[in-house]
Amino acid sequence: MRYPLLIAFIISLNSFLKAQDCTGYHKYHCPYGDYSFYTSQQSTSALFRRGQTSEFNMVIYGDEDYYIAVCGHRKLGDLHFRLLEDNKERNVLYDNAQDDFSESIVFTNEVTRNIIVEVTVPESGSGKDKDLRCVGIVVQFRETGETEPKF
Amino acid sequence: MKAKFLALIILVGFVVISCKRDSSRKNDNDTKDITLGIEDIERDIQKVYIRFPSPEEMFTFIDSTGLQYDNSLLLPVSVYDKYLDSKSRALNLGTYIADLAYITLFQQYKETMDYFQVVYNMTENLRISPALNESLMNRIEKNVRNIDSLKVLSGIAFDDISDYLIRNDQEKTFVLISIGGFVESLYIAMNIIDEYQVGNETIQRVADQKLVFDNLIKYADAFKGDSDIQQVIGILKPVQDVFDQLHLEENDTRTGRDDKGQLVFSGGNRYIFSDSEFEELNQAVTEARKKITSTN
């Protein structure tokens, strides 16, 4: 074969042009809360690069308990997520780095508010991994105190 | 030489075609590889995503035991086939989805099935019926007397519709469905309140819709180049004007733990209605709903 480099280039171009459609990733890859929770439409998935930080602006209702989980491909390592108040101060309400990079959190919310779920995918140790991968966010809710399974 | 060059061209063609086939073949719910150009990839890597709760989530807090079910608030099932263009079909699919959430809350079994059927028919009219599969419809039929299962199944249905639309580059339709659903759920919530009372939790939940509305409009703004979206945002302008007038009661947010060690977010700002603002919003929402559900 006289064109090995060209063929290798074409194959690598093919791989590069293949990115991931992340729609629904969270449904099949993220842990869910127990059966006392309903799933919120605000659950979502998105495409991330190494070292990327993205924000997910959401509304959480008052007098509800929330379960939020953030997950991604194991090759991404520990995902860092924070819950921030959506205002000028952007106060940190929760930081999973202070919680051993826990994948999920349950909390009670007393007043309806906007929050930002800020997700950061760590840089690759070698700096060589340029893969694009999916990250999912599961948001579930229940009336505060309603801890009985629904099903 | 020419033959080898030709073979190379065929190989390139094969690689490109295989990418495209890949994207059309894998359309189920797992992670999928699809062909994207470099610009598409950059577009898909966003820094900020806007999300908002569904109509069903808005109704969840309502304790139906003390309230009277009122089917005159609903858009009748008989008019669903009067919507002939894609904009009104999408908007009113949202209306019917919100109605369904209300009906489910009051465990109206016959109407639940009727409205699920209309939701399905509307997805057919919009040519997005593959979003709802037959097994889901069967599960709904089997669980029609189980309110918790129905809540979950209607959530799955809404989610399946949104995933289908996003996956098929029809997010604009999802915006219209969401706006229709938002207006209908607000219309119903305002009409199940007998009279304005300070501290009433349903009234507070209606005031809280300002936050949902703001996120919905930010989300819709990404599609404002579309004339249908622009027109519908125009319909919502009077609603926005009333929401923008609401008084913001400022309080510090506190984080702590309850006696079981669970994280608690307390305090924080909240929007408050006056009696007259509540009435103004009621009028603005009723007017917007009238325009959206009009069959003319």
Side-chain angles (χ1 to χ4, degrees):
Chain A
M1 183 63 88
R2 292 173 69 178
Y3 302 100
L5 282 177
L6 191 53
I7 290 168
F9 171 73
I10 291 164
I11 291 170
S12 65
L13 183 68
N14 180 24
S15 307
F16 179 72
L17 290 176
K18 284 170 107 182
Q20 287 178 307
D21 169 14
C22 296
T23 315
Y25 175 88
H26 59 279
K27 291 184 197 170
Y28 303 96
H29 297 86
C30 291
Y32 275 67
D34 65 39
Y35 288 114
S36 63
F37 288 97
Y38 294 113
T39 302
S40 168
Q41 184 205 291
Q42 298 181 99
S43 302
T44 190
S45 300
L47 193 60
F48 273 71
R49 272 186 206 290
R50 286 269 177 197
Q52 181 191 331
T53 297
S54 285
E55 296 182 355
F56 299 82
N57 294 19
M58 300 183 178
V59 178
I60 53 172
Y61 284 123
D63 298 322
E64 305 271 4
D65 290 346
Y66 278 86
Y67 167 92
I68 294 182
V70 177
C71 77
H73 194 281
R74 62 182 167 75
K75 281 190 176 176
L76 292 176
D78 288 335
L79 300 182
H80 182 200
F81 77 95
R82 302 193 301 167
L83 307 183
L84 311 174
E85 267 196 286
D86 188 6
N87 56 18
K88 279 181 198 162
E89 294 77 27
R90 292 168 64 93
N91 298 323
V92 179
L93 302 173
Y94 172 77
D95 184 343
N96 80 332
Q98 312 292 321
D99 194 12
D100 201 19
F101 290 97
S102 172
E103 225 177 7
S104 64
I105 176 71
V106 175
F107 60 89
T108 297
N109 183 49
E110 292 185 353
V111 174
T112 301
R113 70 185 87 239
N114 280 118
I115 60 160
I116 295 168
V117 181
E118 182 202 71
V119 180
T120 303
V121 170
E123 295 279 3
S124 161
S126 63
K128 286 180 183 170
D129 185 358
K130 303 289 183 202
D131 276 355
L132 296 160
R133 294 192 188 276
C134 297
V135 169
I137 300 180
V138 170
V139 181
Q140 294 187 286
F141 63 97
R142 67 181 178 207
E143 206 176 318
T144 297
E146 292 283 323
T147 54
E148 286 297 309
K150 304 287 192 303
F151 324 101
Chain B
M1 183 67 184
K2 270 187 183 173
K4 282 179 180 170
F5 187 69
L6 191 63
L8 202 60
I9 297 288
I10 291 168
L11 181 65
V12 171
F14 174 75
V15 168
V16 170
I17 289 165
S18 72
C19 288
K20 291 193 170 165
R21 281 189 181 159
D22 205 28
S23 69
S24 59
R25 190 172 57 235
K26 294 179 181 179
N27 64 348
D28 64 11
N29 289 325
D30 210 337
T31 307
K32 296 162 300 303
D33 289 342
I34 60 164
T35 306
L36 294 171
I38 294 166
E39 283 177 10
D40 293 322
I41 294 170
E42 291 303 329
R43 184 200 63 200
D44 283 357
I45 297 178
Q46 294 179 32
K47 294 291 179 199
V48 177
Y49 294 81
I50 308 292
R51 311 295 299 164
F52 45 88
S54 66
E56 182 204 340
E57 290 169 62
M58 184 213 175
F59 285 134
T60 305
F61 81 106
I62 296 174
D63 179 6
S64 60
T65 49
L67 294 169
Q68 189 76 32
Y69 173 71
D70 181 359
N71 68 1
S72 72
L73 297 175
L74 308 175
L75 181 63
V77 290
S78 57
V79 300
Y80 87 88
D81 56 356
K82 304 276 193 298
Y83 300 109
L84 302 177
D85 61 282
S86 57
K87 182 186 76 181
S88 64
R89 282 174 175 170
L91 282 168
N92 287 294
L93 172 56
T95 307
Y96 283 121
I97 287 171
D99 285 347
L100 188 56
Y102 172 69
I103 294 165
T104 305
L105 193 71
F106 286 88
Q107 303 181 51
Q108 302 295 311
Y109 307 122
K110 185 186 175 304
E111 280 173 312
T112 299
M113 281 319 295
D114 290 347
Y115 275 76
F116 258 120
Q117 190 58 53
V118 163
V119 165
Y120 183 77
N121 293 347
M122 291 289 275
T123 62
E124 274 194 326
N125 288 349
L126 276 164
R127 299 182 183 182
I128 58 168
S129 58
L132 297 179
N133 62 43
E134 206 175 314
S135 80
L136 179 67
M137 296 304 286
N138 291 338
R139 283 170 71 194
I140 288 163
E141 208 162 344
K142 280 181 190 158
N143 287 285
V144 75
R145 290 182 185 275
N146 183 333
I147 186 171
D148 288 318
S149 295
L150 275 183
K151 277 186 190 173
V152 171
L153 292 170
S154 55
I156 291 172
F158 195 83
D159 213 29
D160 285 351
I161 291 171
S162 84
D163 279 0
Y164 180 86
L165 293 171
I166 291 165
R167 188 174 285 132
N168 289 284
D169 277 339
Q170 296 185 59
E171 215 169 338
K172 172 204 139 182
T173 304
F174 180 61
V175 173
L176 293 171
I177 294 171
S178 301
I179 290 173
F182 176 81
V183 170
E184 183 73 352
S185 57
L186 201 50
Y187 171 78
I188 292 173
M190 298 198 82
N191 279 284
I192 59 178
I193 297 166
D194 278 342
E195 57 179 328
Y196 176 85
Q197 283 174 328
V198 178
N200 176 302
E201 66 165 0
T202 309
I203 289 176
Q204 185 56 52
R205 182 60 68 108
V206 171
D208 292 343
Q209 295 309 300
K210 172 174 168 45
L211 302 180
V212 180
F213 183 82
D214 288 348
N215 273 20
L216 182 56
I217 292 296
K218 277 185 214 162
Y219 184 72
D221 263 353
F223 304 89
K224 66 183 174 193
D226 181 275
S227 60
D228 286 346
I229 304 272
Q230 227 171 35
Q231 202 184 341
V232 175
I233 289 176
I235 292 175
L236 297 179
K237 183 72 174 57
V239 176
Q240 185 164 24
D241 290 343
V242 183
F243 272 134
D244 286 347
Q245 289 173 35
L246 297 193
H247 171 66
L248 182 66
E249 186 183 88
E250 296 190 36
N251 292 296
D252 289 337
T253 301
R254 298 176 301 280
T255 59
R257 300 264 172 191
D258 65 13
D259 49 9
K260 290 176 188 155
Q262 184 166 295
L263 192 60
V264 179
F265 303 156
S266 53
N269 299 343
R270 70 163 94 198
Y271 286 96
I272 305 288
F273 268 129
S274 68
D275 192 352
S276 61
E277 285 162 348
F278 182 78
E279 197 40 52
E280 277 177 53
L281 184 68
N282 201 356
Q283 283 172 16
V285 168
T286 302
E287 194 55 36
R289 198 247 187 194
K290 200 171 150 189
K291 286 180 180 165
I292 286 171
T293 57
S294 165
T295 52
N296 298 321

